[in-house]
Amino acid sequence: MINIVGQIMLYVNNQEESVNFWTEKAGFSVLSEHDNGAMKWFVIAPSKEAQTSIVLHNKEVVAKFSPGVNLETPSLMFFTKDLDQLYKDFKDKNITVGEIVNIPDGRVFNFADNEENYFAVTEMK
């Protein structure tokens, strides 16, 4: 039985720039870095205690080794306990953010990473 989403694969064009975005701007931590000679990847997460991590893979390398893999950006929803503070932090760090929108379950905004992939953040109640 599956009881948790362990990792999400995010295929990017420039791993180093993506690592910098996620760590320096979004506040994630690098949990590990791997290089097996043919492929390099970074495991990142919002905290070292996070149950789910994101693996940053080189899109071009993955396409070469696994041509059937869907390389599109997954639609991710992140949770925060203080949406207003996170929104301000992201704007202060020049992250592209959308407006805060009210939805039936609370409030949400979207943001773009360094490669203009969009993700969403909602308030956790």
Side-chain angles (χ1 to χ4, degrees):
M1 174 193 288
I2 296 173
N3 61 3
I4 191 168
V5 174
Q7 293 183 322
I8 297 165
M9 307 303 172
L10 182 58
Y11 305 109
V12 298
N13 296 309
N14 187 312
Q15 288 174 294
E16 283 72 23
E17 286 181 11
S18 292
V19 167
N20 288 339
F21 170 83
W22 286 103
T23 58
E24 295 175 15
K25 290 191 172 190
F28 280 50
S29 298
V30 174
L31 302 182
S32 60
E33 178 179 336
H34 306 272
D35 189 342
N36 68 8
M39 188 177 289
K40 181 177 181 178
W41 63 96
F42 298 86
V43 179
I44 62 170
S47 72
K48 295 191 184 320
E49 298 80 29
Q51 292 183 319
T52 304
S53 58
I54 295 174
V55 182
L56 300 174
H57 280 287
N58 181 298
K59 188 182 285 190
E60 185 177 319
V61 174
V62 171
K64 178 182 170 188
F65 285 106
S66 301
V69 170
N70 180 350
L71 300 173
E72 298 300 317
T73 302
S75 183
L76 302 179
M77 173 72 78
F78 296 99
F79 293 165
T80 184
K81 292 182 180 178
D82 191 341
L83 191 78
D84 295 309
Q85 184 62 53
L86 183 64
Y87 187 80
K88 180 185 180 316
D89 290 348
F90 277 17
K91 285 187 84 160
D92 290 347
K93 293 176 182 175
N94 294 316
I95 295 176
T96 301
V97 295
E99 296 298 318
I100 294 176
V101 177
N102 290 313
I103 59 174
D105 293 335
R107 299 180 311 144
V108 64
F109 72 88
N110 64 11
F111 69 94
D113 70 2
N114 59 299
E115 295 188 2
E116 297 184 13
N117 298 306
Y118 278 83
F119 307 98
V121 180
T122 190
E123 229 164 9
M124 193 169 70
K125 296 188 179 208

